[in-house]
Amino acid sequence: MATVAPFDIPYTRIIAPDGSVDGELPVFARDAAAVIPLYRAMVRTRTFDARAIALHRTGRLGTYPSGLGQEAVGAGIAYAMQDVDVLVPAYRDTGALLGRGVTPFELLMYWGGDERGSDFSGPRRDFPISITVGEHPPHAAGVALAMQIRREPRVALCTLGDGATSKGAFYEAINVAGSMWLPLVVVIVNNQWAISAPRAIQSGAPTLAQKAVAAGFPGVQVDGNDVIAVAEVIGHAVERARTGEGPTLVEAITYRLGDHTTVDDARRYREDAEVSRAWANEPLGRIRAFLVAAGVWTKEDEEGLLAECAAEIDRAAEEYLATPGLPIEAMFDHLYEELPPAVQAQRRQAMRETQADA
């Protein structure tokens, strides 16, 4: 008997949970001060998260999916990408979106139910947030194919959760990416929970990264709570794609510290002790300890950053709350060049009911 298709799944961690260096620092992180922007991005994301949840709790924002505990993945993605690249995000990618230039105001507008929030200030070709689980990877593959046909040195990067890897569209996307050798990076944000379904019952595969093997391209794992490792691994994958070396599947191992969304109660399906253990590995404390040990971060720096982020998010929230909503008929106005008769009838009915309630 011969082995015809061996494979390995490399795993990368550079900074240990206590902030000590656990691997070789990449070039960009050898000057610890150069890591500060990544930490600032994570704190900014967490500050936004907290304010969005508070707005929902007071009835002023729609259902919101917290990214608490996953901030290193978003910051690393934004760091690794160039403006010419295209992000195809899932719904828990606040950090990546903020890092790409989407404003806090725009994100609040979107989660408040106003599609004007999808008119991003960041790279204009980035895709809007995908709410449908696991259905957007084929779109990302299509974007990558267009880049390939045009011979553009650009990359499409798609994010999705661990649960989305059980969807057929995910497999279809990575299959075409491998068969056509597309400039695509797929990042699985493995936060261990697909709503209430734990990772252990989602797949019999020891890793989710190895799903790339069947598609014919590399799959790798990275400690998703180590922002330096995330930036390095995804950066390498992005440059592979940009230089014609093909797609990569990156599984970022992290943990969803909060509820699935603001209308979920995770205490119904997971133990508090498990969450407490996960808090010991959370990404902000890890990189803060690294920066403090390197002598480039102080208590005064921390207090200043927290105040700066709070002020920015407060201004965005005030602007969001002061922005008049669109009339009810606006939801129909950008669907078709000419509305079909059935949709015209729905539009008229919506307007009548709104006038009747006034």
Side-chain angles (χ1 to χ4, degrees):
M1 182 177 68
T3 299
V4 297
F7 67 91
D8 296 307
I9 302 298
Y11 172 82
T12 301
R13 183 175 78 176
I14 297 169
I15 305 298
D18 64 359
S20 61
V21 179
D22 192 32
E24 184 178 356
L25 286 170
V27 173
F28 81 87
R30 290 174 188 169
D31 175 6
V35 180
I36 291 175
L38 287 167
Y39 178 62
R40 294 177 64 89
M42 291 193 292
V43 172
R44 184 173 179 240
T45 300
R46 187 167 291 187
T47 304
F48 178 91
D49 238 27
R51 187 57 189 271
I53 292 170
L55 287 168
H56 172 82
R57 298 297 187 218
T58 54
R60 295 178 291 175
L61 195 73
T63 301
Y64 177 74
S66 170
L68 183 64
Q70 301 177 201
E71 295 89 352
V73 181
I77 287 171
Y79 181 89
M81 297 179 71
Q82 296 182 9
D83 284 353
V84 296
D85 300 330
V86 173
L87 176 66
V88 184
Y91 51 80
R92 208 182 302 275
D93 289 314
T94 298
L97 291 163
L98 288 172
R100 293 283 287 165
V102 180
T103 69
F105 166 72
E106 288 162 353
L107 287 174
L108 289 174
M109 288 287 283
Y110 174 81
W111 291 112
D114 194 320
E115 285 292 343
R116 288 176 293 180
S118 294
D119 187 14
F120 296 156
S121 296
R124 300 292 292 173
R125 293 189 178 184
D126 281 5
F127 273 44
I129 295 167
S130 175
I131 295 295
T132 308
V133 174
E135 297 301 324
H136 58 298
H139 302 158
V143 171
L145 176 59
M147 294 170 174
Q148 184 185 75
I149 291 170
R150 295 170 179 170
R151 301 182 183 277
E152 297 171 338
R154 302 167 65 205
V155 177
L157 188 148
C158 176
T159 61
L160 65 157
D162 43 294
T165 65
S166 298
K167 298 294 288 290
F170 163 75
Y171 289 100
E172 293 163 4
I174 64 171
N175 184 66
V176 73
S179 65
M180 304 184 77
W181 215 236
L182 300 179
L184 175 67
V185 176
V186 179
V187 179
I188 302 169
V189 186
N190 181 359
N191 67 17
Q192 312 303 319
W193 291 93
I195 310 182
S196 59
R199 159 69 179 90
I201 69 170
Q202 292 177 50
S203 173
T207 74
L208 299 179
Q210 72 193 66
K211 296 191 176 190
V213 174
F217 59 86
V220 301
Q221 279 191 338
V222 64
D223 184 339
N225 290 342
D226 175 358
V227 71
I228 293 177
V230 172
E232 176 69 3
V233 169
I234 295 180
H236 178 67
V238 166
E239 287 313 302
R240 281 189 74 252
R242 193 183 315 283
T243 56
E245 295 183 54
T248 305
L249 181 65
V250 179
E251 179 186 3
I253 309 296
T254 182
Y255 193 88
R256 193 194 79 211
L257 291 171
D259 298 324
H260 175 66
T261 70
T262 46
V263 294
D264 174 44
D265 182 1
R267 292 172 298 178
R268 295 177 300 166
Y269 52 81
R270 66 183 185 186
E271 299 294 330
D272 289 344
E274 176 184 329
V275 180
S276 296
R277 289 192 297 270
W279 268 105
N281 294 318
E282 68 90 17
L284 270 69
R286 180 184 305 203
I287 204 66
R288 182 170 59 245
F290 167 79
L291 295 172
V292 170
V296 298
W297 197 252
T298 66
K299 179 181 178 182
E300 290 73 24
D301 293 326
E302 182 74 10
E303 292 172 347
L305 175 59
L306 292 174
E308 175 188 328
C309 290
E312 179 195 13
I313 305 305
D314 284 347
R315 288 192 299 270
E318 291 168 3
E319 183 182 3
Y320 158 69
L321 294 171
T323 301
L326 292 170
I328 190 72
E329 62 268 22
M331 74 172 78
F332 301 96
D333 289 346
H334 303 284
L335 297 175
Y336 301 91
E337 181 177 359
E338 183 176 343
L339 285 180
V343 182
Q344 290 180 26
Q346 292 174 18
R347 186 179 189 276
R348 289 192 297 269
Q349 180 181 356
M351 293 179 65
R352 286 195 301 270
E353 292 179 0
T354 301
Q355 293 165 358
D357 291 339

